[in-house]
Amino acid sequence: MHVVYISDGKAGHRSQALGLYQAMQRQHADCFFQEISIADLPILSLIGSIFSKQCAQVEQAPTFIFGVGSHTHLRVWLMGKVYPHAKTVILMKPSLPLSFFDYAVIPEHDAVPASDKVIVTQGALNPIVNQQRHQTNRILIALGGSSKRHGWNAEKVLTAIQGITEQQPQATIILTTSRRTPSDFLTQLQQQSYAAQLQIFPVEQTPQGWIFEEMQKAEAVWVTEDSVSMIYEALTAGCKVGIIKIDRLKSDRITRQLDQLLTMNTLRNLKNKFLYLEMNEAMRVAEILLKK
């Protein structure tokens, strides 16, 4: 089985495609992955390939063609014309009509009903699996920042961190930031007396894959509510997940989905709510596609 992933170069998009491929590979060992950049697939060249029934960049006839990101959709559709036996899969709500593709894997918040072509998921896919290595009393705090729907509120975040340290005085607490975290926040944090209980790792000092490894070791993960993808990643890793609230600039499908998550299946820890959902969406989607 050969999977061709048409890539727009964005790490978050690649993570989704890789998550689905790796889930397929766990069920079908004889499975290979090829990533082709959109820069190497000019539209006119792909149109010409339809007539020759082969594309020079493709190593072998694909079984599946994946695309994530709007710039990949037309190319996935055209590649499907070059290789009509391959199944085309868009891992988001497509910018072209659904009828152009064999399948679309669409997060629930996009409000597209499930059908023979549409597989609805809780959040975006990711390559994480629960490795069952969680350590008791080990907590990870992952901070985001401002976004189009959230405004950073340092006071709320500091209060939340203080509460976590006071409730878990014996815990090992790892804290990390993101590229959206305000540059002066760690300075503010380190001035607090409770900061002595934290092991702080700024995002600039963490290698690729560091946070996924920390999720495998943490019993619980606290995430600021703007980091929706990280919430789903921590749930997929098998962690209890706490939400640190910041300011909402607007209400939309994403924030409503977050509120729905918070009421679906929660465990209480003192005054705090933890999410704890058994989640492995990539494996579920892979099973559906392989059966089809």
Side-chain angles (χ1 to χ4, degrees), residues 13-196:
H13 291 167
R14 187 177 193 274
S15 179
Q16 293 178 52
L18 206 55
L20 180 54
Y21 162 71
Q22 289 175 351
M24 285 180 160
Q25 192 178 39
R26 285 192 289 274
Q27 299 174 64
H28 193 299
D30 188 23
C31 186
F32 302 94
F33 184 82
Q34 181 186 2
E35 181 172 350
I36 306 176
S37 169
I38 57 175
D40 295 328
L41 291 172
I43 298 297
L44 289 177
S45 174
L46 265 177
I47 292 172
S49 296
I50 294 173
F51 299 99
S52 63
K53 292 300 179 187
Q54 67 178 43
C55 178
Q57 288 80 6
V58 176
E59 294 169 358
Q60 67 181 74
T63 316
F64 290 95
I65 302 166
F66 292 173
V68 198
S70 57
H71 293 296
T72 69
H73 297 178
L74 179 57
R75 290 171 171 84
V76 170
W77 177 63
L78 291 171
M79 185 75 81
K81 298 296 183 184
V82 180
Y83 298 100
H85 295 296
K87 300 299 183 185
T88 52
V89 184
I90 299 295
L91 304 183
M92 61 185 292
K93 182 179 179 180
S95 56
L96 298 173
L98 282 167
S99 60
F100 280 35
F101 307 102
D102 291 295
Y103 306 107
V105 180
I106 304 177
E108 186 179 42
H109 61 74
D110 281 329
V112 178
S115 68
D116 289 343
K117 282 184 171 290
V118 175
I119 303 170
V120 176
T121 61
Q122 289 279 327
L125 302 186
N126 62 67
I128 297 175
V129 294
N130 182 359
Q131 298 176 3
Q132 308 289 340
R133 294 193 284 119
H134 304 288
Q135 300 172 17
T136 304
N137 287 329
R138 187 180 180 96
I139 296 170
L140 173 65
I141 301 175
L143 304 180
S146 296
S147 69
K148 61 184 179 182
R149 62 181 60 88
H150 287 96
W152 182 256
N153 186 315
E155 185 177 345
K156 284 185 179 180
V157 177
L158 290 171
T159 300
I161 295 171
Q162 181 178 7
I164 294 165
T165 59
E166 289 176 351
Q167 292 164 27
Q168 305 282 339
Q170 305 304 317
T172 298
I173 303 178
I174 313 295
L175 181 142
T176 190
T177 57
S178 75
R179 303 202 184 280
R180 290 184 290 108
T181 308
S183 56
D184 62 345
F185 179 75
L186 285 185
T187 302
Q188 292 177 264
L189 175 60
Q190 287 163 336
Q191 292 169 353
Q192 312 303 314
S193 59
Y194 52 83

